[in-house]
Amino acid sequence: MKEFLKKYFPGLIQFVKDTQQLIGYRKKKKYVKQRNDNMHAQYERNLGKYHNIHKGERCFIIGTGPSLLLEDVELLKDEWTFGVNSCITMYDKTEWRADYYGIVDSHTVEILGNKMKSGEVPVLFYTDIDASYDGANGVAFPKDDSANMMTDTWYKRKFPKLFPDTDFSDDITKVVYTGKSVVYAMLQIAAYMGFTEIYLLGVDCNYAQPKMYSDNVTYIDHKTKWSKERLLKNGNQMLPQFEIAKHMQKSMAFRYSMPQEAVS
């Protein structure tokens, strides 16, 4: 029956899958909203103290794209910086240390969690909705990545305004939209902390090339199994989300550097 449908009704199976995604999206959106609301007092207590503590200052968010070089971070020793994901794997090669660190997926916490508990990571922002971390430096934030479930579905193509790529939070004690990148989450946290100039470094939107900042990156994630085409596509799907942040600059009084399209 499945082969028959594939042959004569090729779009039907995909439509059914997209409908299942829609149902899952609605359930997740509702669950995330209820959970974040229920835990708001805790998030406000832990995150509220960071509001505007860097008002008027500038910072750099360091991604782990292929273009990142050790020489780049060496220049930032006297700047406020955020590190993410496998940035910590270069710590044995540089004196640079990020002031703040960010992780949004449970796999990264599982692989690098013990490294994050060292004194070299003063503050670790992480999501506790699907990750477990017990380090004293951990500061959990309320995550919402439900919009990712609708990417490439018929519903999103047909009704794009009903299913935006993501959103941008002006109050991280209520929600942080992670989009498809931990950097996007850190943008919201940095803006909440009052930084008025936010620069992105090593944010290539490109997973399809080897990393240049380390010849021994011990953090390996599921993307290593993806095809080059899928890696490029996934990277470029981040761009519309960063455009959303760009539109928030005026209302939230910050400005930042946009990443570029990924190319092979």
Side-chain angles (χ1 to χ4, degrees), residues 153-164:
T153 63
W154 176 86
Y155 294 96
K156 181 172 176 56
R157 292 191 297 272
K158 190 70 174 178
F159 308 105
K161 291 185 178 180
L162 293 179
F163 304 102

PDB file of all heavy atoms in Angstrom, residues 153-164:
ATOM      1  N   THR A 153       7.766  22.091   6.164  1.00  0.00           N
ATOM      2  CA  THR A 153       6.452  21.447   6.062  1.00  0.00           C
ATOM      3  C   THR A 153       5.556  22.216   5.088  1.00  0.00           C
ATOM      4  O   THR A 153       5.780  23.396   4.800  1.00  0.00           O
ATOM      5  CB  THR A 153       5.749  21.395   7.431  1.00  0.00           C
ATOM      6  OG1 THR A 153       5.515  22.739   7.890  1.00  0.00           O
ATOM      7  CG2 THR A 153       6.592  20.650   8.453  1.00  0.00           C
ATOM      8  N   TRP A 154       4.535  21.533   4.607  1.00  0.00           N
ATOM      9  CA  TRP A 154       3.570  22.149   3.700  1.00  0.00           C
ATOM     10  C   TRP A 154       2.874  23.317   4.396  1.00  0.00           C
ATOM     11  O   TRP A 154       2.630  24.362   3.784  1.00  0.00           O
ATOM     12  CB  TRP A 154       2.535  21.112   3.272  1.00  0.00           C
ATOM     13  CG  TRP A 154       1.445  21.673   2.402  1.00  0.00           C
ATOM     14  CD1 TRP A 154       1.466  21.820   1.045  1.00  0.00           C
ATOM     15  CD2 TRP A 154       0.163  22.175   2.843  1.00  0.00           C
ATOM     16  NE1 TRP A 154       0.282  22.380   0.608  1.00  0.00           N
ATOM     17  CE2 TRP A 154      -0.532  22.607   1.677  1.00  0.00           C
ATOM     18  CE3 TRP A 154      -0.457  22.289   4.081  1.00  0.00           C
ATOM     19  CZ2 TRP A 154      -1.811  23.142   1.738  1.00  0.00           C
ATOM     20  CZ3 TRP A 154      -1.732  22.832   4.150  1.00  0.00           C
ATOM     21  CH2 TRP A 154      -2.397  23.251   2.973  1.00  0.00           C
ATOM     22  N   TYR A 155       2.576  23.167   5.658  1.00  0.00           N
ATOM     23  CA  TYR A 155       1.860  24.202   6.404  1.00  0.00           C
ATOM     24  C   TYR A 155       2.673  25.492   6.487  1.00  0.00           C
ATOM     25  O   TYR A 155       2.120  26.583   6.369  1.00  0.00           O
ATOM     26  CB  TYR A 155       1.531  23.694   7.813  1.00  0.00           C
ATOM     27  CG  TYR A 155       0.550  22.558   7.810  1.00  0.00           C
ATOM     28  CD1 TYR A 155       0.990  21.240   7.868  1.00  0.00           C
ATOM     29  CD2 TYR A 155      -0.817  22.795   7.726  1.00  0.00           C
ATOM     30  CE1 TYR A 155       0.089  20.185   7.852  1.00  0.00           C
ATOM     31  CE2 TYR A 155      -1.734  21.754   7.713  1.00  0.00           C
ATOM     32  CZ  TYR A 155      -1.262  20.446   7.767  1.00  0.00           C
ATOM     33  OH  TYR A 155      -2.155  19.405   7.745  1.00  0.00           O
ATOM     34  N   LYS A 156       3.956  25.356   6.687  1.00  0.00           N
ATOM     35  CA  LYS A 156       4.801  26.551   6.769  1.00  0.00           C
ATOM     36  C   LYS A 156       4.896  27.242   5.411  1.00  0.00           C
ATOM     37  O   LYS A 156       4.886  28.470   5.328  1.00  0.00           O
ATOM     38  CB  LYS A 156       6.190  26.194   7.287  1.00  0.00           C
ATOM     39  CG  LYS A 156       7.100  27.406   7.409  1.00  0.00           C
ATOM     40  CD  LYS A 156       8.389  27.069   8.108  1.00  0.00           C
ATOM     41  CE  LYS A 156       9.331  28.262   8.141  1.00  0.00           C
ATOM     42  NZ  LYS A 156       8.716  29.446   8.757  1.00  0.00           N
ATOM     43  N   ARG A 157       5.022  26.439   4.350  1.00  0.00           N
ATOM     44  CA  ARG A 157       5.093  27.035   3.009  1.00  0.00           C
ATOM     45  C   ARG A 157       3.787  27.716   2.638  1.00  0.00           C
ATOM     46  O   ARG A 157       3.783  28.761   1.993  1.00  0.00           O
ATOM     47  CB  ARG A 157       5.440  25.948   1.982  1.00  0.00           C
ATOM     48  CG  ARG A 157       6.856  25.399   2.113  1.00  0.00           C
ATOM     49  CD  ARG A 157       7.225  24.553   0.922  1.00  0.00           C
ATOM     50  NE  ARG A 157       6.389  23.364   0.792  1.00  0.00           N
ATOM     51  CZ  ARG A 157       6.653  22.193   1.376  1.00  0.00           C
ATOM     52  NH1 ARG A 157       7.739  22.058   2.127  1.00  0.00           N
ATOM     53  NH2 ARG A 157       5.854  21.158   1.200  1.00  0.00           N
ATOM     54  N   LYS A 158       2.672  27.129   3.054  1.00  0.00           N
ATOM     55  CA  LYS A 158       1.363  27.653   2.699  1.00  0.00           C
ATOM     56  C   LYS A 158       0.951  28.823   3.592  1.00  0.00           C
ATOM     57  O   LYS A 158       0.340  29.790   3.136  1.00  0.00           O
ATOM     58  CB  LYS A 158       0.315  26.541   2.810  1.00  0.00           C
ATOM     59  CG  LYS A 158      -1.049  26.891   2.239  1.00  0.00           C
ATOM     60  CD  LYS A 158      -1.019  26.987   0.733  1.00  0.00           C
ATOM     61  CE  LYS A 158      -2.425  27.180   0.174  1.00  0.00           C
ATOM     62  NZ  LYS A 158      -2.415  27.331  -1.306  1.00  0.00           N
ATOM     63  N   PHE A 159       1.309  28.733   4.872  1.00  0.00           N
ATOM     64  CA  PHE A 159       0.903  29.769   5.832  1.00  0.00           C
ATOM     65  C   PHE A 159       2.125  30.261   6.616  1.00  0.00           C
ATOM     66  O   PHE A 159       2.224  30.039   7.833  1.00  0.00           O
ATOM     67  CB  PHE A 159      -0.146  29.214   6.802  1.00  0.00           C
ATOM     68  CG  PHE A 159      -1.318  28.563   6.130  1.00  0.00           C
ATOM     69  CD1 PHE A 159      -1.438  27.180   6.114  1.00  0.00           C
ATOM     70  CD2 PHE A 159      -2.296  29.328   5.507  1.00  0.00           C
ATOM     71  CE1 PHE A 159      -2.522  26.563   5.504  1.00  0.00           C
ATOM     72  CE2 PHE A 159      -3.382  28.728   4.890  1.00  0.00           C
ATOM     73  CZ  PHE A 159      -3.494  27.339   4.874  1.00  0.00           C
ATOM     74  N   PRO A 160       3.068  30.929   5.959  1.00  0.00           N
ATOM     75  CA  PRO A 160       4.317  31.335   6.626  1.00  0.00           C
ATOM     76  C   PRO A 160       4.112  32.263   7.807  1.00  0.00           C
ATOM     77  O   PRO A 160       4.882  32.225   8.770  1.00  0.00           O
ATOM     78  CB  PRO A 160       5.099  32.020   5.498  1.00  0.00           C
ATOM     79  CG  PRO A 160       4.070  32.428   4.497  1.00  0.00           C
ATOM     80  CD  PRO A 160       3.022  31.364   4.549  1.00  0.00           C
ATOM     81  N   LYS A 161       3.076  33.104   7.765  1.00  0.00           N
ATOM     82  CA  LYS A 161       2.850  34.031   8.866  1.00  0.00           C
ATOM     83  C   LYS A 161       2.343  33.319  10.120  1.00  0.00           C
ATOM     84  O   LYS A 161       2.533  33.808  11.242  1.00  0.00           O
ATOM     85  CB  LYS A 161       1.862  35.121   8.442  1.00  0.00           C
ATOM     86  CG  LYS A 161       2.425  36.080   7.392  1.00  0.00           C
ATOM     87  CD  LYS A 161       1.460  37.204   7.092  1.00  0.00           C
ATOM     88  CE  LYS A 161       2.047  38.174   6.071  1.00  0.00           C
ATOM     89  NZ  LYS A 161       1.114  39.282   5.757  1.00  0.00           N
ATOM     90  N   LEU A 162       1.697  32.184   9.931  1.00  0.00           N
ATOM     91  CA  LEU A 162       1.207  31.414  11.074  1.00  0.00           C
ATOM     92  C   LEU A 162       2.321  30.605  11.732  1.00  0.00           C
ATOM     93  O   LEU A 162       2.216  30.232  12.901  1.00  0.00           O
ATOM     94  CB  LEU A 162       0.076  30.462  10.643  1.00  0.00           C
ATOM     95  CG  LEU A 162      -1.231  31.104  10.201  1.00  0.00           C
ATOM     96  CD1 LEU A 162      -2.220  30.016   9.793  1.00  0.00           C
ATOM     97  CD2 LEU A 162      -1.818  31.946  11.331  1.00  0.00           C
ATOM     98  N   PHE A 163       3.376  30.337  10.968  1.00  0.00           N
ATOM     99  CA  PHE A 163       4.473  29.517  11.470  1.00  0.00           C
ATOM    100  C   PHE A 163       5.817  30.201  11.194  1.00  0.00           C
ATOM    101  O   PHE A 163       6.577  29.780  10.334  1.00  0.00           O
ATOM    102  CB  PHE A 163       4.432  28.128  10.813  1.00  0.00           C
ATOM    103  CG  PHE A 163       3.130  27.414  10.997  1.00  0.00           C
ATOM    104  CD1 PHE A 163       2.196  27.371   9.966  1.00  0.00           C
ATOM    105  CD2 PHE A 163       2.827  26.806  12.206  1.00  0.00           C
ATOM    106  CE1 PHE A 163       0.988  26.722  10.137  1.00  0.00           C
ATOM    107  CE2 PHE A 163       1.614  26.160  12.383  1.00  0.00           C
ATOM    108  CZ  PHE A 163       0.690  26.116  11.352  1.00  0.00           C
ATOM    109  N   PRO A 164       6.096  31.285  11.923  1.00  0.00           N
ATOM    110  CA  PRO A 164       7.367  31.997  11.724  1.00  0.00           C
ATOM    111  C   PRO A 164       8.549  31.117  12.115  1.00  0.00           C
ATOM    112  O   PRO A 164       8.407  30.169  12.880  1.00  0.00           O
ATOM    113  CB  PRO A 164       7.229  33.208  12.645  1.00  0.00           C
ATOM    114  CG  PRO A 164       6.262  32.776  13.698  1.00  0.00           C
ATOM    115  CD  PRO A 164       5.290  31.890  12.995  1.00  0.00           C
TER     116      PRO A 164
END
